[in-house]
Amino acid sequence: MLIFGIEPLQHFRSNHWLALLNTPGQQNPQNTSTELLLLMADGGNHRSLLPNGSLFLGFDCSTQSLKATVLDAGLALVAHDAVHFDSELPHYGTEGGVCRDPAEPGRIVSPPLMWAEALDLLLRRLEPRVDYTRVAAVSGSAQQHGSVYWARGAGAALASLDPAQGLAQQLAGALAAPQSPVWMDSSTTAQCREVEAALGGALALAAMTGCRAHERCTGPQIRKMFQTRRGVYDGTERVSLVSSFMTSLLIGGYACIDQTDGAGMNLMDIQTRQLRRDALEATAPDLEVKIGKLAPAHEIAGTLAPYFVQRFQFASNCLVVQWSGDNPNSLAGLTLSDPGDLAVSLGTSDTVFGITDVPEPSLDGNILPNPVDPKTYMVMLCYKNGSLTREDIRDRYAEKSWDVFNNFLEQTDSLNGGKLGFYYKEHEILPPLPVGYHRYVVDTLTSGSLDETARHQTDEFDPPSEVRAVIEGQFLSMRGHAERCGLPVPPKRIIATGGASSNQAILKIMASIFGCPVYTVQRPDSASLGAALRAAHGWLCKQQGEFVPISRLYSGRLETTSLSLKLAVPFGDSEGDTELLNNYTLLVKKRLEVEQKLVERFGRRTCAN
């Protein structure tokens, strides 16, 4: 029987659901339309639900692994798994999911065929636990900014995949370049400056496209490919981001780049959300046809290709929702919707992001369309030195043990005696500094400028201080740059995600420096969780025939879903919290002053106007 809310049938917002009832099997994995739970009353407002018995699959193609999360119609977790590139696909020779070009310092790439092979492997691994015939929609998340170069004729190869063979072996000849520059690449400084100069300077470019030209951005990557590997560029039929590359595999044809991930290319107008002709011309010739069209993140890219239907027995009408970047998917997975909230993701890269109604261009951060709300934007700060740098300090100073690392954090005093550490295992994005470790000791309790503050540089701290310095230093920088970008400081709360968000000792320091409580999600992998939620959201928008707020999926029942939050660290309960926050405020100022001096000494020259 059908189950309705207490409102009468004639009050339904859309007749589309009624049409579904009269169309046997329409978007219903079990071909039983009477199993649809259509609408429920929720405080006088109707809240759309999902087909009873349906599943929603979300992927996250991150730097080091491919993860998958499966949610049911109630948004409860059904299954989760991952394929780790280094250990499970060692024949690609990656370290940390990437390859470093010994002939070209700063050039960091990954093989796209590795991502394709991981997709086959992960789907096979999930098969015993997930009934693929019940999956109504699939979406995904991917590391942002990486560029994939499809060879001429690759579109035909995608459309004729043989389900008896794996993806990687069939697509080996479909790539114009076997390696894709990824977000960690830092070899495009010259191209960044050229693009900025052609478009009026760094700040002007940020106002146009959402960010200045960073080495990781796709536009400078493409320009370098055109300049240094002309044969590859000329032989390229289509350029994909990692997100649209994975979408293309799933639909068996070239997928659009979604507007949210596309904002990281330096090619899209952040206001119109369309490619800018002047930016295209400043990057490479004939680029518009190689990029293709852009699409909103909630739109349907297509249905699953016959390859997946026949190889894994998915339903032939399973929808593929546009994939997007990992940080936009984390925003969705964290249900971030209040401009007073911040999210901090602690992974291979560290990111800080929040929501704004009115984007303001900045040289520090990135402005991206909100993937689940076309009317707003997300502001993001990105740090290349995240988990791998923390692991390096752990290995050097904490006996390669997280237990020792955490004990050091607990033993050392807040403010670390004025010890400021700047740890750049990789060429950093924010601030723009090369590889190197720098250590200073400053007087933390004076309010004067850095020139008036006693300070000195040192080669090394004692091990406990090194450990606290790498954690405090990152959060001090995050807070200072977030404030510069107009994000709320102190925020109402922080929602923490990523691998390190399970570390209570780290979260305590985060709460003290930002001056707010810290919440966490049930699972630290918010990107694949967000992708599964976006799959459900895209399905719902398709059924309604228009965009609907994603909150309609979970409004009023977050605590019963996999999206529920829990308070990890309170703030303000202790009498010393306010005084400590004031002292950290002074230390943030001094850290930013030291950062600026380091940039003046070591950093890249800018074209900011």
Side-chain angles (χ1 to χ4, degrees), residues 401-411 467 503-506:
S401 165
W402 284 118
D403 288 338
V404 174
F405 188 98
N406 291 339
N407 285 336
F408 282 164
L409 288 180
E410 297 288 355
Q411 293 168 11
V467 167
N503 188 317
Q504 190 75 4
I506 290 176

Side-chain angles (χ1 to χ4, degrees), residues 276-339:
R276 289 186 63 98
R277 185 168 298 279
D278 53 357
L280 292 165
E281 291 174 351
T283 300
D286 305 316
L287 184 53
E288 185 171 7
V289 68
K290 294 180 188 289
I291 291 286
K293 295 187 179 298
L294 307 181
H298 65 274
E299 284 197 354
I300 305 302
T303 54
L304 271 180
Y307 175 88
F308 297 95
V309 174
Q310 297 173 34
R311 188 174 175 88
F312 298 104
Q313 287 71 57
F314 280 90
S316 60
N317 61 353
C318 178
L319 299 179
V320 179
V321 179
Q322 290 285 155
W323 284 43
S324 190
D326 49 3
N327 293 295
N329 277 280
S330 287
L331 181 145
L334 298 173
T335 64
L336 194 69
S337 58
D338 188 337

Side-chain angles (χ1 to χ4, degrees), residues 51 78 139 172 227 252 337 348 355 483 531 575:
V78 173
S139 190
Q227 291 178 334
S337 58
T348 306
I355 294 173
E483 203 161 14
E575 292 182 2

Side-chain angles (χ1 to χ4, degrees), residues 69 77 80-81 497-498 501 521-526 529 562:
T69 295
L77 182 69
H80 178 83
D81 215 322
T497 184
S501 66
V521 290
Q522 289 186 29
R523 304 192 63 84
D525 179 29
S526 59
L529 178 64
S562 293

